[in-house]
Amino acid sequence: MVGRKKRTQNCDKVSHEELDRISQLPECLISEILYHLSTKDAVRTSVLSTKWRYLWQWVPGLDVEFNTFSNIDAFMSFAERFFYSNRGSWIRKLRLNISDPLGKCDLNSWIDVFTTRRIQHLAVDYIPTSEIPLSMYTCKTLVHLQLVRATLGDAEFVSFPCLKIMHLEDVIFPNETMLEKLISGSPVLEDLLISRPYPQYDKAKVLQVRSHTLKRIDIDGSTEVVIDAPLLLCLRTMIYLTKNFEIISLGFPTKLDIDVVFSNKKTYGKSLIDDILTDITRVRDLVINNVILKNILLYSNLGQVLQFRDLSRLNAGFAKSDLEMLPTILESCPRLESFTLELVKDPSMCGKMKKEPNVMFSEVPRCLVSSLKFVELKRSIPRYEGEMELIRYLLKNSRILEKLRLNVYYRKKEKCDFLTELVSMTRCSSACKVLVL
């Protein structure tokens, strides 16, 4: 009995050692493992043992929000333990969500600390009581910068030699030249986002974006921007009542993502629509909503058939009432290779009698015969009666279609009937694969 008890104790000891092999790893490797956990979970490991008590402070990343703490003092105490405990360690990624109406957070000192610790990714959501400290504008290791609800200072000198991504959301600019300084001080910048829902609060009216490295720009509808970026690949924007961007560089982005916001009180001027449609004819990859689609159809009804000869990818939002113009839209894109059709609600039909559209098409656009290889159908509305006819039309007439992706929701019984009917449909392209999500 004694021997059996001793063997049991030895087995328990071995089992415990095997289960705790992670503690035998080098601290630098444990720190890397904790980096991939949330900050909350990383801190929880401090109760495992004495060895683990302070390991979370060596993690090269921090993600904290003020509202997860009982008060501002508890938040400051936690943050300062992280910032000041190991001044020589590396901070790879930092996200701070700070709401400090009393101005207790010493953000200036914090930024002084982490800008000297080789930080690469910085995201600060900061309800402003003061401007972002000037020391941040000369961080030489920063690769990704995101500022939300922050007030920018008028820095005389900006140097971000490694910065590739800059997202400025709800920020207040001191003047129109500050953005130019940020961009000119970022010689490898590729991705820029500017969101200013309340531009009347700052002194910048028209922003100048000049860069020979920018590839992606995302601007909201209330920001007026003049763009000189010859390498631009993608422009994403939202338009309310006036066009908010002007491109003056020789090149034009290959992808344009335009969301024209519907207004039931005001109408869009013909010059605005003409301007947008002119831009559309110059791109190869286009994302548009049904407001623009309706204007393309209007031009077609007037005998002015628009041609988007360079367009190879189209992602378009259709309301059910817009589906009758599908052949007209596709006929305007003779070289289309990829088509995503998203069925959405039509705000203009709110409160009106809804009529199911006719999708029994007789026309076969050129792109279905010669170029279309990929189609995706998805919807954010309930199923409608003509859905199966639309799918049947695409499968029957697309000669070189390689894949049809159906991102549609059905209840269990309805889905079984849907799949049964789908399998029986005629496919013009023998190589076509149908994927139901």
Side-chain angles (χ1 to χ4, degrees):
M1 292 294 293
V2 175
R4 183 180 299 175
K5 184 176 181 180
K6 186 175 182 180
R7 284 197 301 271
T8 302
Q9 289 176 344
N10 290 336
C11 289
D12 289 343
K13 183 177 180 180
V14 172
S15 177
H16 175 73
E17 289 177 353
E18 289 179 349
L19 291 174
D20 196 28
R21 283 182 177 177
I22 191 171
S23 294
Q24 301 172 23
L25 296 174
E27 290 187 357
C28 60
L29 187 54
I30 295 177
S31 178
E32 185 65 25
I33 293 172
L34 295 181
Y35 171 76
H36 294 283
L37 299 178
S38 67
T39 295
K40 186 176 182 179
D41 288 336
V43 173
R44 283 175 173 170
T45 63
S46 62
V47 302
L48 295 178
S49 67
T50 303
K51 178 179 179 178
W52 286 79
R53 185 173 182 181
Y54 299 108
L55 285 179
W56 69 268
Q57 296 179 10
W58 288 89
V59 175
L62 184 68
D63 185 344
V64 290
E65 297 191 13
F66 164 77
N67 57 14
T68 61
F69 293 82
S70 58
N71 54 57
I72 187 64
D73 292 325
F75 170 76
M76 289 177 57
S77 175
F78 176 85
E80 289 179 354
R81 283 174 63 192
F82 179 84
F83 289 136
Y84 300 123
S85 59
N86 301 293
R87 285 179 172 269
S89 63
W90 176 25
I91 299 180
R92 188 185 311 168
K93 187 174 183 179
L94 177 63
R95 191 181 80 88
L96 292 175
N97 190 332
I98 306 172
S99 176
D100 180 22
L102 301 178
K104 286 188 175 182
C105 287
D106 190 5
L107 189 61
N108 285 31
S109 297
W110 293 356
I111 288 181
D112 287 340
V113 170
F114 58 67
T115 53
T116 61
R117 290 172 62 175
R118 297 174 292 163
I119 189 167
Q120 292 184 337
H121 301 266
L122 173 62
V124 178
D125 187 338
Y126 180 53
I127 294 180
T129 55
S130 60
E131 297 176 350
I132 292 293
L134 296 179
S135 58
M136 189 205 68
Y137 299 109
T138 56
C139 184
K140 298 188 181 302
T141 56
L142 206 56
V143 176
H144 185 166
L145 172 64
Q146 179 184 21
L147 297 178
V148 182
R149 299 184 297 173
T151 300
L152 300 180
D154 188 10
E156 293 184 7
F157 179 71
V158 176
S159 179
F160 293 127
C162 298
L163 191 66
K164 291 188 176 182
I165 301 173
M166 184 192 303
H167 288 182
L168 307 175
E169 304 174 42
D170 302 354
V171 301
I172 297 177
F173 291 85
N175 49 54
E176 293 183 350
T177 61
M178 188 57 211
L179 179 63
E180 295 182 55
K181 292 179 183 178
L182 289 171
I183 295 175
S184 63
S186 308
V188 296
L189 187 65
E190 296 181 356
D191 188 314
L192 175 65
L193 181 148
I194 304 172
S195 171
R196 296 195 306 154
Y198 309 107
Q200 65 271 24
Y201 292 139
D202 63 32
K203 298 178 181 179
K205 304 306 177 185
V206 179
L207 299 177
Q208 304 286 332
V209 176
R210 294 186 175 89
S211 171
H212 291 283
T213 59
L214 265 177
K215 296 179 181 178
R216 292 170 295 278
I217 299 177
D218 190 335
I219 53 177
D220 68 355
S222 58
T223 300
E224 292 188 44
V225 179
V226 177
I227 300 171
D228 184 0
L231 296 184
L232 189 63
L233 298 177
C234 177
L235 172 63
R236 180 176 292 109
T237 186
M238 184 177 292
I239 294 177
Y240 292 108
L241 293 172
T242 59
K243 185 180 174 184
N244 58 332
F245 67 91
E246 179 184 359
I247 298 177
I248 62 174
S249 49
L250 294 177
F252 199 83
T254 56
K255 180 176 181 178
L256 194 59
D257 184 340
I258 299 182
D259 186 7
V260 178
V261 180
F262 171 78
S263 173
N264 57 4
K265 296 182 179 180
K266 299 181 180 180
T267 57
Y268 297 97
K270 185 176 182 299
S271 60
L272 170 63
I273 298 300
D274 287 346
D275 205 358
I276 294 175
L277 293 177
T278 299
D279 288 337
I280 289 175
T281 60
R282 302 166 66 184
V283 300
R284 294 197 297 270
D285 190 342
L286 177 65
V287 181
I288 53 174
N289 65 358
N290 65 316
V291 175
I292 299 178
L293 289 174
K294 289 178 185 294
N295 283 278
I296 295 176
L297 181 63
L298 177 62
Y299 272 71
S300 299
N301 291 338
L302 294 174
Q304 303 175 28
V305 180
L306 295 173
Q307 289 291 307
F308 309 111
R309 300 186 184 280
D310 295 327
L311 196 63
S312 62
R313 298 175 63 89
L314 174 63
N315 185 325
F318 281 74
K320 285 195 296 183
S321 57
D322 303 326
L323 285 173
E324 292 180 352
M325 66 179 177
L326 178 61
T328 303
I329 298 297
L330 293 178
E331 186 61 39
S332 299
C333 312
R335 298 178 182 175
L336 194 65
E337 296 181 6
S338 175
F339 177 44
T340 298
L341 189 161
E342 181 174 4
L343 291 171
V344 297
K345 290 182 179 179
D346 188 350
S348 66
M349 297 297 292
C350 184
K352 299 179 181 180
M353 292 292 292
K354 298 181 179 179
K355 177 184 175 183
E356 289 294 324
N358 175 26
V359 293
M360 301 291 289
F361 305 127
S362 58
E363 309 97 317
V364 179
R366 282 175 291 172
C367 65
L368 267 64
V369 176
S370 60
S371 61
L372 193 63
K373 297 179 180 179
F374 172 82
V375 174
E376 179 175 11
L377 172 64
K378 55 185 179 179
R379 54 176 162 83
S380 56
I381 59 173
R383 180 190 177 188
Y384 70 102
E385 294 179 5
E387 185 166 276
M388 296 306 295
E389 289 303 321
L390 177 59
I391 296 172
R392 183 175 284 108
Y393 169 77
L394 292 169
L395 285 173
K396 181 180 178 181
N397 297 289
S398 302
R399 292 187 181 180
I400 62 172
L401 190 64
E402 296 177 358
K403 181 180 290 187
L404 173 63
R405 180 183 296 165
L406 302 174
N407 191 351
V408 292
Y409 171 75
Y410 286 93
R411 293 186 178 91
K412 188 173 183 179
K413 174 64 170 62
E414 293 176 334
K415 189 169 186 178
C416 184
D417 296 338
F418 166 75
L419 293 174
T420 301
E421 186 173 355
L422 181 63
V423 170
S424 66
M425 289 182 183
T426 302
R427 303 183 191 183
C428 184
S429 170
S430 59
C432 179
K433 296 179 179 179
V434 180
L435 178 62
V436 181
L437 303 180

